[in-house]
Amino acid sequence: KDRLSFWEILKLNNLITFSVCFACLKAVNYTMFFWLPFFESNHFTQAESDYLEIYYNVGQVFGGLICGYISDRFSRRTPTVIIFLIIATIPIFLLRISTLQLPVVTVLVIAAGFFIGGPSNLLATVMGSEIAKDPKLRGNESVVATVAGIIDGSGSVGAAITQYVVSIVSDISLEIVFIILASLLIAAAILLIPSCIRDIKEMYRNYWRIIETEIKLESPGGRGRDLGEHKKLKNDSTLALSNSQDIDIDKIIN
């Protein structure tokens, strides 16, 4: 199989979009990892500030699990990712308020980790590997590592730039820092909107394809059809909704 050049790989569907989105997410993640204890040390003890960073990581663990589970149920990733990103802006934006008590800050930090961790993990792993299914690859899946490297490398660039910006802006105002982080999350969500629209349309089309398949199988002449034809209808109609349990076509066929 012909090897694709680096520039041909860059032209794969959604690769640039996912790379920029991950740059925004990794920028927010690294800022929270490295700067959160410093930000909160002005209001709480050093130990309490360090615990807040731990809580953020705990939120990320559960966020990755839940976000992955939900996206698997829908068989499309971007709708779930966008919802998580939009919700994540709320706790990040509220953290700019310096008068919040420790219990409130703890809840906000856990929520931020939860809603940021899911999209971050999906973009860095599953969604990146799904790019390798692009028809342009002509069955050549040897570029998976390159795709993953481009996405993760873009994230590192975004994180590095943001760390430099935060080091300057934090001397002016911590409120501006959290506004910047919330803006990065909104930017990532906006970039995913075109992909989300395509995914929703595809989910809608395949849902009605399943409905049509059920009607054909339940029609007077449907049960007289060749079983192979039934199987083909089933495979075609459930291509993008492999995890859907709305209609048990196996049960209808059998």
Side-chain angles (χ1 to χ4, degrees), residues 150-179:
I150 291 173
I151 294 176
D152 193 59
S154 301
S156 298
V157 171
I161 294 174
T162 304
Q163 300 314 297
Y164 179 75
V165 173
V166 168
S167 66
I168 297 174
V169 176
S170 61
D171 292 333
I172 302 173
S173 172
L174 292 180
E175 290 188 16
I176 298 178
V177 172
F178 287 108
I179 292 174

